[in-house]
Amino acid sequence: MKSITPDRIQPRDHKALIFIILAVILLLAFCLDVLLGSVSIRASDVLAALFKKGDPGIETIILQFRLPKAMTAVAAGIALSVSGLQMQTLFRNPLAGPYVLGVSSGASLGVAIVILGFSSKFIPGNIQTLGNWALVISAWTGAGAVMMLIMFISSRIKDIMTILILGIMLASGISAIVSIMQYFSNETMLKAYVIWTMGSMGNLSAEQLKVLSVTVAVGVLLSLLTVKMLNALLLGENYAASMGVNLKFSRLMIFAGTSILAGSVTAFCGPVGFIGIAVPHIVRNIFRSADHRILLPGTVLAGGSVMLVSDMISQLPGSSGVLPVNSVTSLIGIPVVIWIILRRKRETGSF
Amino acid sequence: MIAMDRFQNRNLRFILWMSLIAALVSSCYNSTAGLTESDPNNSDAAIKYAQRFTLEKTDSSAILTVTDPWQGAKGIRQVYHLVGRDLETTGWKDTSAIIRVPVKSVICMSTTHVAMIAALGRIDAITGVSGAGFIYDPRVRERIGRGLIREVGYESGLNHELVLSIAPDIMIAYGIGSESAGYLGKLKELGVKVLFNADYLEKDPLAKAEWIKVFGALFSLEQPADSVFDSVCESYNQIKGFVQRHSAGKPDVLLGLPFRDTWFVSPGDSYPGRLIEDAGGKYLWYDTKSTVSMPLSLEEVFLRSLKADYWLNTGSAASKSEIASLDPRLQEIPCFNTGTIYNNNMRISPSGGNDYWESGIINPHIILKDVASILHPEMFPGYELFYYRKLE
C-alpha cells in the first residue's frame, strides 16, 4: 500500500465516479431493505403493493412497516455518520463518535427515568402504555440536557481535550446513575430498558418519521455550514484561529449539529453504536481525502447504506426471528475500527 | 407442638406421624443421602401434571425435590426434607435442607405463592412479601397495612437484614436465572431456608395449580391441598371436555403486545398456548416449540394476525386507544375493528396488583372458562367474565 499523500491527489472525475457508485449503492440498499424481511414477499408483490394494487396485508407490510423502517435507517445512518465525522475532526481523535460527549448516556438517563424510575409505582408492564412518544421525549430531554451542559462547559474552557475528557467523565457518571436505577429495578422493567438500548429502526409512526427527517435535515444543513471550519480545524486549532475561524462559534455550531443529529436518532431508535465511528473512516479511505467538502456528502451516502445493510441483516431475511440492530452495527463497525487502528500503526493518519 | 399439629391437621396423617415416631428414632440418624434413596414408587403417582417437583413420603419425613427451578436450568435438583417440628434431627449431616413442618412464618417472593397459601386458608403464616404493591388479595393487603406482613424487596434490592429479623421458617423464592441463586446465597449461609418454587415454569395450566401440593406439605395440610387440586382438575377437565364436544369451530387467537418493533411471542407449547387449545381455540403459533418467548419481527406477527379472530392478553394496554398509542399500525389488525380484544385485567387492586397473576394460578378452571366463553360465547350464555375484560 502506498502512502496516503500522493493518493489524495485524485482527478475530479474519479471522485465524481465514486459519488455516483455510492449513490447507486444507497439506492440499491434501500430497495433491498424494502424487498427483504422476515416475511418473504416477491418483488412483483412489492411493486403491486407500492401502487396499492396488491394484497392488503402485503400492502400494509410494505407501506407501513418496511418503507418507514428503510427511511428511518437512511436518516439514522446519515445522522450518526455525519455527527461522527464532525466529532472526529473537532477532537482530532479517530475514536471519537456521535456519543463521545455523552449524548447517548443523556438519552439513556431520560429513558431509564421513564422505564425504571417512574413506572415502579405502577405495574411494571405499564411502561408500554405510556405510548410511542414517552420514550422519545424523555430521551430527547436527556440528550439535550447533556449537550447544553457540554456547550456551557465549552464556552468556558478553551482546551478541546479538556472538553473531551469532561464529556467522557459526564457520560461515565450518568451511566453510573443508570446502573443504580437498573440495580433497583425488577426484571420486567430491566428487560424493557435493555431492549431500548439494543436499538430498533422499525418502531416509528408516520409523524415520528416526519419529525426525524426534519431534524436530520436541519442537522445536516448545519453541518454543511461547518465544512470550512472543519477543514481549518484539521490543521490545528491555533492555525484555524489564525485563519480567522471563530473557535468558540464553530464549536457551538458543531455541537449543536451533533446534538440535533445524534440526539434525535437516539431518541427514536435507541443508541446505535459504531456506525458513527466507522463510516467516516470508510469514507476517508474510499476517497483518500481529508477535505470535508468531499467527506461530508460521502459520509451522507455511505452512512445511509451501511445502516440499511445493518437493518437488513438484523431482520434475518428468510427466518422469522430478528436480531437487535445495535449488535449488528457493532459487529460491522468493530472490525472497521480495528482495521483503522492497525493501519494507523503503519501510516500517518489524517489528524 | 403436637397439639398444634392435631389442631391444624385432624386427619390420618397425624396418626401416621405418631405411629412412625419409633421408626424415626433410628432412621433420622441416617445421612440425608440415605433418606433420598428411599422408595420413590409411592410418591410420584400422586403428582399428575407438574414436571418440576416430586414429593416423596418416607417414614420420617417428606422429601420435596424441585427439578431445574429456573429458566434454562439443566439437571439441577434441589432436595428438601420436610420434617415434623417435634422430631429429632441431631444426627443429620446437612441440616440446611431440612424444613420443619408445619411452617408458621413464610416469606413469599411471588404473588402466586401468596395465592396458594390463601387457598389453604393460612394467610396468617405470611410474614413477608416481595412487591407488596402487586398483591391483589384484600386480606393480605390489609395485613400489610397493619404491619403484620413486611415488604422485603426483590432481587438485588432484597432487604437481607429485614429477612433475618423476620427469621421465617421458610422463604419461598423463584429464580429467573442461575445467577438469581446468588443473591439468596447469603441468606442460605445465614440459615434462612430458601425454597425455589418453579410453578411459573410449568407449561400445563393444571401443573401450575398442582404446586399447591407443595404448600400442602409445607403446612401439613396435604389433604386440603389435594382436595383443592382435585376439584380444580375436575372443573378444568369438565369445561375442556364440554368445549371439545360442543364447539363449532376453532377461532384463531393472537396473544400479547409488541415491544418496539419486536413481538416476543409465546411458543405453542407454553401455558397460554395450551390454555387456548383447551378452550377450543387455535393459537396462531400453536405449532411452535420453545422454552422462552420467541422474538419475532412486527411484520411477521402482523401478517399472521390478519387472520386472528380474537386478540387476548394485551399486557399493560387497558384500552384500544392505549394499543393505538403504542404503535398506530396495530390498529390495522382486524380484531381492532371487530372489537374482539380481551385482556386479563378485570381484577386490579388500587396499587396495580392483578389477580390474574395471583389467584389465577390456583384457578386455571376459571381462566379456562373465561377464555372458552370469549371464544365460544354461544356455549356459555349469561356467563360473566372473572379475570378477563373486553377492551373498549
Side-chain angles (χ1 to χ4, degrees), chain A residues 38-39 57 60 64-66 123-125 128-129 132 183 187 195 200 202-203 268 320-322, chain B residues 134 156 174 259-261 264 295-299 302-303 306 316 322 325-326 329 332 352:
Chain A
S38 300
V39 180
T60 311
Q64 297 201 38
F65 287 81
R66 292 202 186 161
I123 316 168
Q128 296 191 344
T129 59
N132 239 340
Y183 188 75
E187 60 273 7
I195 288 174
S200 74
N203 195 47
F268 286 108
S320 56
V322 284
Chain B
F134 302 136
S156 49
Y174 62 96
F259 190 84
R260 293 177 80 82
D261 59 345
F264 289 87
L296 298 186
S297 76
L298 198 50
E299 62 174 48
F302 175 78
L303 195 65
L306 292 177
S316 54
E322 282 177 33
S325 83
L326 259 185
R329 294 172 295 194
E332 308 267 331

mmCIF file of all heavy atoms in Angstrom, chain A residues 38-39 57 60 64-66 123-125 128-129 132 183 187 195 200 202-203 268 320-322, chain B residues 134 156 174 259-261 264 295-299 302-303 306 316 322 325-326 329 332 352:
data_model
loop_
_atom_site.group_PDB
_atom_site.id
_atom_site.type_symbol
_atom_site.label_atom_id
_atom_site.label_comp_id
_atom_site.label_asym_id
_atom_site.label_seq_id
_atom_site.Cartn_x
_atom_site.Cartn_y
_atom_site.Cartn_z
ATOM 1 N N SER A 38 -38.516 -10.405 7.316
ATOM 2 C CA SER A 38 -38.883 -11.682 7.915
ATOM 3 C C SER A 38 -39.880 -12.422 7.044
ATOM 4 O O SER A 38 -39.801 -13.628 6.863
ATOM 5 C CB SER A 38 -39.516 -11.443 9.282
ATOM 6 O OG SER A 38 -38.617 -10.797 10.101
ATOM 7 N N VAL A 39 -40.872 -11.678 6.513
ATOM 8 C CA VAL A 39 -41.870 -12.294 5.658
ATOM 9 C C VAL A 39 -41.334 -12.247 4.238
ATOM 10 O O VAL A 39 -40.906 -11.196 3.776
ATOM 11 C CB VAL A 39 -43.191 -11.504 5.739
ATOM 12 C CG1 VAL A 39 -44.238 -12.134 4.852
ATOM 13 C CG2 VAL A 39 -43.677 -11.423 7.177
ATOM 14 N N GLY A 57 -52.798 -7.071 3.052
ATOM 15 C CA GLY A 57 -51.855 -7.389 4.126
ATOM 16 C C GLY A 57 -50.424 -7.062 3.730
ATOM 17 O O GLY A 57 -49.684 -6.415 4.460
ATOM 18 N N THR A 60 -49.879 -3.329 3.599
ATOM 19 C CA THR A 60 -49.596 -2.713 4.895
ATOM 20 C C THR A 60 -48.154 -2.963 5.301
ATOM 21 O O THR A 60 -47.479 -2.069 5.801
ATOM 22 C CB THR A 60 -50.536 -3.295 5.969
ATOM 23 O OG1 THR A 60 -51.858 -3.261 5.471
ATOM 24 C CG2 THR A 60 -50.451 -2.499 7.247
ATOM 25 N N GLN A 64 -46.363 0.374 5.481
ATOM 26 C CA GLN A 64 -46.357 0.857 6.863
ATOM 27 C C GLN A 64 -45.254 0.261 7.719
ATOM 28 O O GLN A 64 -44.986 0.758 8.808
ATOM 29 C CB GLN A 64 -47.714 0.591 7.516
ATOM 30 C CG GLN A 64 -48.802 1.345 6.815
ATOM 31 C CD GLN A 64 -50.011 1.513 7.690
ATOM 32 O OE1 GLN A 64 -49.883 1.733 8.880
ATOM 33 N NE2 GLN A 64 -51.183 1.393 7.115
ATOM 34 N N PHE A 65 -44.658 -0.818 7.261
ATOM 35 C CA PHE A 65 -43.577 -1.404 8.047
ATOM 36 C C PHE A 65 -42.228 -1.176 7.370
ATOM 37 O O PHE A 65 -41.342 -0.571 7.933
ATOM 38 C CB PHE A 65 -43.806 -2.901 8.271
ATOM 39 C CG PHE A 65 -44.909 -3.190 9.256
ATOM 40 C CD1 PHE A 65 -46.233 -3.157 8.875
ATOM 41 C CD2 PHE A 65 -44.612 -3.490 10.576
ATOM 42 C CE1 PHE A 65 -47.246 -3.414 9.789
ATOM 43 C CE2 PHE A 65 -45.613 -3.743 11.489
ATOM 44 C CZ PHE A 65 -46.938 -3.708 11.094
ATOM 45 N N ARG A 66 -42.104 -1.665 6.132
ATOM 46 C CA ARG A 66 -40.762 -1.681 5.542
ATOM 47 C C ARG A 66 -40.319 -0.319 5.039
ATOM 48 O O ARG A 66 -39.173 0.067 5.266
ATOM 49 C CB ARG A 66 -40.722 -2.707 4.420
ATOM 50 C CG ARG A 66 -40.846 -4.104 4.999
ATOM 51 C CD ARG A 66 -40.292 -5.123 4.067
ATOM 52 N NE ARG A 66 -40.562 -6.456 4.589
ATOM 53 C CZ ARG A 66 -40.535 -7.534 3.839
ATOM 54 N NH1 ARG A 66 -40.268 -7.426 2.539
ATOM 55 N NH2 ARG A 66 -40.772 -8.715 4.371
ATOM 56 N N ILE A 123 -47.784 -0.909 37.620
ATOM 57 C CA ILE A 123 -47.450 -2.271 37.207
ATOM 58 C C ILE A 123 -46.188 -2.173 36.366
ATOM 59 O O ILE A 123 -46.066 -1.258 35.560
ATOM 60 C CB ILE A 123 -48.555 -2.862 36.314
ATOM 61 C CG1 ILE A 123 -49.938 -2.540 36.904
ATOM 62 C CG2 ILE A 123 -48.382 -4.354 36.133
ATOM 63 C CD1 ILE A 123 -51.063 -2.826 35.956
ATOM 64 N N PRO A 124 -45.256 -3.086 36.526
ATOM 65 C CA PRO A 124 -44.027 -2.968 35.745
ATOM 66 C C PRO A 124 -44.283 -2.875 34.245
ATOM 67 O O PRO A 124 -43.649 -2.117 33.552
ATOM 68 C CB PRO A 124 -43.265 -4.247 36.077
ATOM 69 C CG PRO A 124 -43.942 -4.859 37.217
ATOM 70 C CD PRO A 124 -45.242 -4.213 37.437
ATOM 71 N N GLY A 125 -45.243 -3.646 33.784
ATOM 72 C CA GLY A 125 -45.521 -3.631 32.353
ATOM 73 C C GLY A 125 -46.122 -2.328 31.868
ATOM 74 O O GLY A 125 -46.220 -2.079 30.679
ATOM 75 N N GLN A 128 -45.357 0.289 28.803
ATOM 76 C CA GLN A 128 -45.776 0.212 27.409
ATOM 77 C C GLN A 128 -46.933 1.153 27.116
ATOM 78 O O GLN A 128 -47.036 1.672 26.020
ATOM 79 C CB GLN A 128 -46.186 -1.220 27.068
ATOM 80 C CG GLN A 128 -45.007 -2.174 27.183
ATOM 81 C CD GLN A 128 -45.317 -3.535 26.603
ATOM 82 O OE1 GLN A 128 -46.462 -3.866 26.388
ATOM 83 N NE2 GLN A 128 -44.305 -4.317 26.342
ATOM 84 N N THR A 129 -47.791 1.374 28.111
ATOM 85 C CA THR A 129 -48.959 2.193 27.849
ATOM 86 C C THR A 129 -48.602 3.664 27.758
ATOM 87 O O THR A 129 -49.423 4.472 27.377
ATOM 88 C CB THR A 129 -50.024 2.015 28.944
ATOM 89 O OG1 THR A 129 -49.414 2.389 30.175
ATOM 90 C CG2 THR A 129 -50.517 0.613 29.017
ATOM 91 N N ASN A 132 -45.907 5.693 22.345
ATOM 92 C CA ASN A 132 -44.751 5.865 21.492
ATOM 93 C C ASN A 132 -43.899 7.073 21.828
ATOM 94 O O ASN A 132 -42.692 7.051 21.665
ATOM 95 C CB ASN A 132 -45.279 6.037 20.070
ATOM 96 C CG ASN A 132 -44.733 4.988 19.159
ATOM 97 O OD1 ASN A 132 -43.716 4.396 19.475
ATOM 98 N ND2 ASN A 132 -45.376 4.775 18.051
ATOM 99 N N TYR A 183 -30.088 -1.500 38.995
ATOM 100 C CA TYR A 183 -29.875 -2.369 40.150
ATOM 101 C C TYR A 183 -31.150 -2.528 40.958
ATOM 102 O O TYR A 183 -31.460 -3.585 41.480
ATOM 103 C CB TYR A 183 -28.762 -1.762 41.002
ATOM 104 C CG TYR A 183 -28.276 -2.616 42.138
ATOM 105 C CD1 TYR A 183 -27.462 -3.704 41.901
ATOM 106 C CD2 TYR A 183 -28.636 -2.321 43.441
ATOM 107 C CE1 TYR A 183 -27.007 -4.481 42.946
ATOM 108 C CE2 TYR A 183 -28.178 -3.091 44.490
ATOM 109 C CZ TYR A 183 -27.362 -4.169 44.234
ATOM 110 O OH TYR A 183 -26.921 -4.936 45.265
ATOM 111 N N GLU A 187 -37.193 -7.447 36.887
ATOM 112 C CA GLU A 187 -36.743 -7.977 35.596
ATOM 113 C C GLU A 187 -37.575 -7.474 34.420
ATOM 114 O O GLU A 187 -37.059 -7.306 33.320
ATOM 115 C CB GLU A 187 -36.694 -9.514 35.633
ATOM 116 C CG GLU A 187 -37.985 -10.212 35.926
ATOM 117 C CD GLU A 187 -38.240 -10.370 37.432
ATOM 118 O OE1 GLU A 187 -37.476 -9.817 38.246
ATOM 119 O OE2 GLU A 187 -39.207 -11.032 37.773
ATOM 120 N N ILE A 195 -34.005 -3.700 26.099
ATOM 121 C CA ILE A 195 -34.444 -3.747 24.703
ATOM 122 C C ILE A 195 -34.302 -2.368 24.063
ATOM 123 O O ILE A 195 -33.896 -2.251 22.913
ATOM 124 C CB ILE A 195 -35.885 -4.288 24.603
ATOM 125 C CG1 ILE A 195 -35.867 -5.785 24.914
ATOM 126 C CG2 ILE A 195 -36.462 -4.052 23.222
ATOM 127 C CD1 ILE A 195 -37.216 -6.411 24.995
ATOM 128 N N SER A 200 -33.708 0.031 17.602
ATOM 129 C CA SER A 200 -34.617 -0.517 16.610
ATOM 130 C C SER A 200 -34.953 0.564 15.613
ATOM 131 O O SER A 200 -34.999 1.740 15.947
ATOM 132 C CB SER A 200 -35.894 -1.045 17.259
ATOM 133 O OG SER A 200 -36.713 0.018 17.654
ATOM 134 N N GLY A 202 -37.647 0.079 13.378
ATOM 135 C CA GLY A 202 -38.981 -0.129 12.828
ATOM 136 C C GLY A 202 -40.126 0.288 13.720
ATOM 137 O O GLY A 202 -41.228 -0.198 13.570
ATOM 138 N N ASN A 203 -39.886 1.167 14.651
ATOM 139 C CA ASN A 203 -40.946 1.472 15.599
ATOM 140 C C ASN A 203 -41.534 2.856 15.396
ATOM 141 O O ASN A 203 -42.362 3.302 16.157
ATOM 142 C CB ASN A 203 -40.381 1.338 17.020
ATOM 143 C CG ASN A 203 -41.457 1.278 18.055
ATOM 144 O OD1 ASN A 203 -42.415 0.531 17.888
ATOM 145 N ND2 ASN A 203 -41.340 2.089 19.078
ATOM 146 N N PHE A 268 -35.294 8.286 18.863
ATOM 147 C CA PHE A 268 -36.259 7.474 18.112
ATOM 148 C C PHE A 268 -35.825 6.019 17.968
ATOM 149 O O PHE A 268 -36.660 5.123 17.911
ATOM 150 C CB PHE A 268 -36.485 8.072 16.723
ATOM 151 C CG PHE A 268 -37.317 9.319 16.743
ATOM 152 C CD1 PHE A 268 -36.745 10.550 16.495
ATOM 153 C CD2 PHE A 268 -38.671 9.266 17.027
ATOM 154 C CE1 PHE A 268 -37.499 11.710 16.524
ATOM 155 C CE2 PHE A 268 -39.437 10.412 17.066
ATOM 156 C CZ PHE A 268 -38.849 11.642 16.819
ATOM 157 N N SER A 320 -37.910 -16.191 10.801
ATOM 158 C CA SER A 320 -38.944 -15.385 11.439
ATOM 159 C C SER A 320 -38.377 -14.552 12.579
ATOM 160 O O SER A 320 -38.990 -13.600 13.016
ATOM 161 C CB SER A 320 -40.066 -16.281 11.950
ATOM 162 O OG SER A 320 -39.531 -17.248 12.815
ATOM 163 N N GLY A 321 -37.181 -14.879 13.043
ATOM 164 C CA GLY A 321 -36.618 -14.140 14.172
ATOM 165 C C GLY A 321 -35.971 -12.841 13.741
ATOM 166 O O GLY A 321 -35.822 -12.549 12.561
ATOM 167 N N VAL A 322 -35.604 -12.028 14.722
ATOM 168 C CA VAL A 322 -34.886 -10.788 14.447
ATOM 169 C C VAL A 322 -33.723 -10.662 15.420
ATOM 170 O O VAL A 322 -33.729 -11.254 16.493
ATOM 171 C CB VAL A 322 -35.799 -9.549 14.594
ATOM 172 C CG1 VAL A 322 -36.710 -9.412 13.407
ATOM 173 C CG2 VAL A 322 -36.593 -9.596 15.887
ATOM 174 N N PHE B 134 -48.020 -5.227 44.320
ATOM 175 C CA PHE B 134 -48.562 -6.047 43.249
ATOM 176 C C PHE B 134 -49.560 -7.081 43.762
ATOM 177 O O PHE B 134 -50.035 -7.911 43.011
ATOM 178 C CB PHE B 134 -47.435 -6.763 42.495
ATOM 179 C CG PHE B 134 -46.422 -5.815 41.917
ATOM 180 C CD1 PHE B 134 -45.075 -6.067 42.009
ATOM 181 C CD2 PHE B 134 -46.841 -4.650 41.286
ATOM 182 C CE1 PHE B 134 -44.150 -5.183 41.474
ATOM 183 C CE2 PHE B 134 -45.926 -3.759 40.754
ATOM 184 C CZ PHE B 134 -44.576 -4.023 40.852
ATOM 185 N N SER B 156 -31.861 -7.873 43.733
ATOM 186 C CA SER B 156 -30.711 -7.268 44.392
ATOM 187 C C SER B 156 -31.129 -6.248 45.446
ATOM 188 O O SER B 156 -30.320 -5.849 46.276
ATOM 189 C CB SER B 156 -29.822 -6.619 43.349
ATOM 190 O OG SER B 156 -30.606 -5.818 42.501
ATOM 191 N N TYR B 174 -38.342 -17.638 43.693
ATOM 192 C CA TYR B 174 -38.351 -18.178 42.341
ATOM 193 C C TYR B 174 -37.100 -17.655 41.673
ATOM 194 O O TYR B 174 -36.592 -16.600 42.022
ATOM 195 C CB TYR B 174 -39.598 -17.750 41.571
ATOM 196 C CG TYR B 174 -39.705 -16.259 41.390
ATOM 197 C CD1 TYR B 174 -39.263 -15.661 40.226
ATOM 198 C CD2 TYR B 174 -40.225 -15.449 42.398
ATOM 199 C CE1 TYR B 174 -39.329 -14.294 40.067
ATOM 200 C CE2 TYR B 174 -40.298 -14.083 42.251
ATOM 201 C CZ TYR B 174 -39.854 -13.509 41.080
ATOM 202 O OH TYR B 174 -39.904 -12.162 40.927
ATOM 203 N N PHE B 259 -42.976 -5.143 21.760
ATOM 204 C CA PHE B 259 -42.174 -4.097 22.383
ATOM 205 C C PHE B 259 -41.339 -3.460 21.286
ATOM 206 O O PHE B 259 -40.535 -4.120 20.658
ATOM 207 C CB PHE B 259 -41.282 -4.639 23.497
ATOM 208 C CG PHE B 259 -40.660 -3.518 24.266
ATOM 209 C CD1 PHE B 259 -41.350 -2.908 25.296
ATOM 210 C CD2 PHE B 259 -39.431 -3.017 23.915
ATOM 211 C CE1 PHE B 259 -40.810 -1.837 25.965
ATOM 212 C CE2 PHE B 259 -38.886 -1.945 24.580
ATOM 213 C CZ PHE B 259 -39.579 -1.350 25.613
ATOM 214 N N ARG B 260 -41.571 -2.195 21.040
ATOM 215 C CA ARG B 260 -40.983 -1.502 19.886
ATOM 216 C C ARG B 260 -41.269 -2.324 18.635
ATOM 217 O O ARG B 260 -42.433 -2.672 18.423
ATOM 218 C CB ARG B 260 -39.506 -1.216 20.124
ATOM 219 C CG ARG B 260 -39.327 -0.189 21.245
ATOM 220 C CD ARG B 260 -37.891 0.073 21.583
ATOM 221 N NE ARG B 260 -37.248 0.987 20.642
ATOM 222 C CZ ARG B 260 -37.350 2.312 20.701
ATOM 223 N NH1 ARG B 260 -38.100 2.872 21.622
ATOM 224 N NH2 ARG B 260 -36.735 3.071 19.847
ATOM 225 N N ASP B 261 -40.284 -2.709 17.833
ATOM 226 C CA ASP B 261 -40.667 -3.450 16.632
ATOM 227 C C ASP B 261 -40.412 -4.942 16.771
ATOM 228 O O ASP B 261 -40.318 -5.658 15.793
ATOM 229 C CB ASP B 261 -39.982 -2.887 15.374
ATOM 230 C CG ASP B 261 -38.473 -2.922 15.476
ATOM 231 O OD1 ASP B 261 -37.977 -3.115 16.596
ATOM 232 O OD2 ASP B 261 -37.792 -2.759 14.454
ATOM 233 N N PHE B 264 -42.431 -10.378 21.250
ATOM 234 C CA PHE B 264 -41.996 -11.595 21.926
ATOM 235 C C PHE B 264 -43.210 -12.524 22.026
ATOM 236 O O PHE B 264 -44.127 -12.276 22.789
ATOM 237 C CB PHE B 264 -41.410 -11.275 23.300
ATOM 238 C CG PHE B 264 -40.068 -10.594 23.211
ATOM 239 C CD1 PHE B 264 -39.969 -9.222 23.094
ATOM 240 C CD2 PHE B 264 -38.901 -11.338 23.207
ATOM 241 C CE1 PHE B 264 -38.735 -8.589 22.979
ATOM 242 C CE2 PHE B 264 -37.663 -10.726 23.087
ATOM 243 C CZ PHE B 264 -37.578 -9.353 22.982
ATOM 244 N N PRO B 295 -38.479 -13.923 19.896
ATOM 245 C CA PRO B 295 -38.538 -12.567 19.353
ATOM 246 C C PRO B 295 -38.824 -12.604 17.854
ATOM 247 O O PRO B 295 -38.003 -13.075 17.077
ATOM 248 C CB PRO B 295 -37.127 -12.009 19.638
ATOM 249 C CG PRO B 295 -36.260 -13.198 19.778
ATOM 250 C CD PRO B 295 -37.110 -14.372 20.152
ATOM 251 N N LEU B 296 -40.004 -12.150 17.465
ATOM 252 C CA LEU B 296 -40.361 -12.136 16.050
ATOM 253 C C LEU B 296 -40.492 -10.688 15.596
ATOM 254 O O LEU B 296 -40.798 -9.803 16.386
ATOM 255 C CB LEU B 296 -41.692 -12.861 15.824
ATOM 256 C CG LEU B 296 -41.742 -14.333 16.196
ATOM 257 C CD1 LEU B 296 -43.076 -14.926 15.773
ATOM 258 C CD2 LEU B 296 -40.602 -15.110 15.542
ATOM 259 N N SER B 297 -40.277 -10.475 14.317
ATOM 260 C CA SER B 297 -40.403 -9.114 13.816
ATOM 261 C C SER B 297 -41.885 -8.757 13.747
ATOM 262 O O SER B 297 -42.753 -9.611 13.568
ATOM 263 C CB SER B 297 -39.745 -8.978 12.453
ATOM 264 O OG SER B 297 -40.573 -9.568 11.476
ATOM 265 N N LEU B 298 -42.139 -7.459 13.891
ATOM 266 C CA LEU B 298 -43.513 -6.979 13.926
ATOM 267 C C LEU B 298 -44.248 -7.347 12.641
ATOM 268 O O LEU B 298 -45.422 -7.699 12.669
ATOM 269 C CB LEU B 298 -43.495 -5.466 14.140
ATOM 270 C CG LEU B 298 -44.775 -4.809 14.617
ATOM 271 C CD1 LEU B 298 -45.343 -5.507 15.810
ATOM 272 C CD2 LEU B 298 -44.509 -3.350 14.936
ATOM 273 N N GLU B 299 -43.553 -7.267 11.497
ATOM 274 C CA GLU B 299 -44.251 -7.531 10.231
ATOM 275 C C GLU B 299 -44.686 -8.990 10.128
ATOM 276 O O GLU B 299 -45.756 -9.281 9.619
ATOM 277 C CB GLU B 299 -43.385 -7.137 9.034
ATOM 278 C CG GLU B 299 -42.074 -7.908 8.915
ATOM 279 C CD GLU B 299 -41.347 -7.564 7.613
ATOM 280 O OE1 GLU B 299 -41.214 -6.372 7.316
ATOM 281 O OE2 GLU B 299 -40.919 -8.501 6.907
ATOM 282 N N PHE B 302 -47.631 -9.299 12.344
ATOM 283 C CA PHE B 302 -48.744 -8.556 11.746
ATOM 284 C C PHE B 302 -49.426 -9.384 10.663
ATOM 285 O O PHE B 302 -50.641 -9.506 10.629
ATOM 286 C CB PHE B 302 -48.242 -7.229 11.167
ATOM 287 C CG PHE B 302 -49.300 -6.470 10.443
ATOM 288 C CD1 PHE B 302 -50.252 -5.751 11.146
ATOM 289 C CD2 PHE B 302 -49.372 -6.510 9.063
ATOM 290 C CE1 PHE B 302 -51.253 -5.077 10.478
ATOM 291 C CE2 PHE B 302 -50.373 -5.835 8.393
ATOM 292 C CZ PHE B 302 -51.308 -5.122 9.095
ATOM 293 N N LEU B 303 -48.604 -9.966 9.778
ATOM 294 C CA LEU B 303 -49.185 -10.719 8.667
ATOM 295 C C LEU B 303 -50.030 -11.879 9.186
ATOM 296 O O LEU B 303 -51.124 -12.131 8.702
ATOM 297 C CB LEU B 303 -48.055 -11.248 7.776
ATOM 298 C CG LEU B 303 -48.509 -11.731 6.410
ATOM 299 C CD1 LEU B 303 -49.050 -10.578 5.581
ATOM 300 C CD2 LEU B 303 -47.346 -12.382 5.669
ATOM 301 N N LEU B 306 -53.523 -11.041 10.745
ATOM 302 C CA LEU B 306 -54.640 -10.650 9.885
ATOM 303 C C LEU B 306 -55.756 -11.685 9.926
ATOM 304 O O LEU B 306 -56.903 -11.365 9.678
ATOM 305 C CB LEU B 306 -54.159 -10.461 8.436
ATOM 306 C CG LEU B 306 -53.224 -9.265 8.215
ATOM 307 C CD1 LEU B 306 -52.768 -9.211 6.783
ATOM 308 C CD2 LEU B 306 -53.918 -7.968 8.606
ATOM 309 N N SER B 316 -50.134 -4.620 29.270
ATOM 310 C CA SER B 316 -50.409 -3.410 30.027
ATOM 311 C C SER B 316 -51.501 -2.569 29.392
ATOM 312 O O SER B 316 -52.005 -1.645 30.024
ATOM 313 C CB SER B 316 -49.124 -2.603 30.103
ATOM 314 O OG SER B 316 -48.648 -2.416 28.790
ATOM 315 N N GLU B 322 -54.935 2.810 24.057
ATOM 316 C CA GLU B 322 -53.565 2.591 24.528
ATOM 317 C C GLU B 322 -52.776 1.731 23.544
ATOM 318 O O GLU B 322 -51.583 1.942 23.342
ATOM 319 C CB GLU B 322 -53.568 1.932 25.915
ATOM 320 C CG GLU B 322 -53.856 2.930 27.024
ATOM 321 C CD GLU B 322 -53.928 2.284 28.398
ATOM 322 O OE1 GLU B 322 -53.202 1.303 28.632
ATOM 323 O OE2 GLU B 322 -54.726 2.762 29.215
ATOM 324 N N SER B 325 -51.802 3.954 20.749
ATOM 325 C CA SER B 325 -50.729 4.899 21.066
ATOM 326 C C SER B 325 -49.373 4.202 21.112
ATOM 327 O O SER B 325 -48.341 4.820 20.920
ATOM 328 C CB SER B 325 -51.012 5.608 22.389
ATOM 329 O OG SER B 325 -50.603 4.798 23.467
ATOM 330 N N LEU B 326 -49.386 2.902 21.374
ATOM 331 C CA LEU B 326 -48.137 2.142 21.356
ATOM 332 C C LEU B 326 -47.550 2.106 19.959
ATOM 333 O O LEU B 326 -46.371 2.314 19.755
ATOM 334 C CB LEU B 326 -48.414 0.694 21.763
ATOM 335 C CG LEU B 326 -48.108 0.245 23.144
ATOM 336 C CD1 LEU B 326 -48.354 -1.247 23.233
ATOM 337 C CD2 LEU B 326 -46.682 0.555 23.503
ATOM 338 N N ARG B 329 -49.868 1.290 13.895
ATOM 339 C CA ARG B 329 -50.089 0.240 12.902
ATOM 340 C C ARG B 329 -50.875 -0.929 13.463
ATOM 341 O O ARG B 329 -51.484 -1.694 12.709
ATOM 342 C CB ARG B 329 -48.742 -0.250 12.368
ATOM 343 C CG ARG B 329 -48.023 0.823 11.581
ATOM 344 C CD ARG B 329 -46.630 0.401 11.222
ATOM 345 N NE ARG B 329 -45.795 0.235 12.402
ATOM 346 C CZ ARG B 329 -44.465 0.122 12.357
ATOM 347 N NH1 ARG B 329 -43.854 0.141 11.202
ATOM 348 N NH2 ARG B 329 -43.758 -0.021 13.453
ATOM 349 N N GLU B 332 -54.439 -1.717 12.456
ATOM 350 C CA GLU B 332 -54.754 -2.412 11.208
ATOM 351 C C GLU B 332 -55.077 -3.879 11.446
ATOM 352 O O GLU B 332 -55.542 -4.562 10.546
ATOM 353 C CB GLU B 332 -53.563 -2.328 10.251
ATOM 354 C CG GLU B 332 -53.035 -0.930 10.026
ATOM 355 C CD GLU B 332 -53.667 -0.271 8.814
ATOM 356 O OE1 GLU B 332 -54.037 -1.000 7.888
ATOM 357 O OE2 GLU B 332 -53.789 0.971 8.821
ATOM 358 N N GLY B 352 -52.304 -1.618 41.643
ATOM 359 C CA GLY B 352 -51.898 -2.213 40.377
ATOM 360 C C GLY B 352 -51.682 -3.714 40.412
ATOM 361 O O GLY B 352 -51.222 -4.280 39.434
#
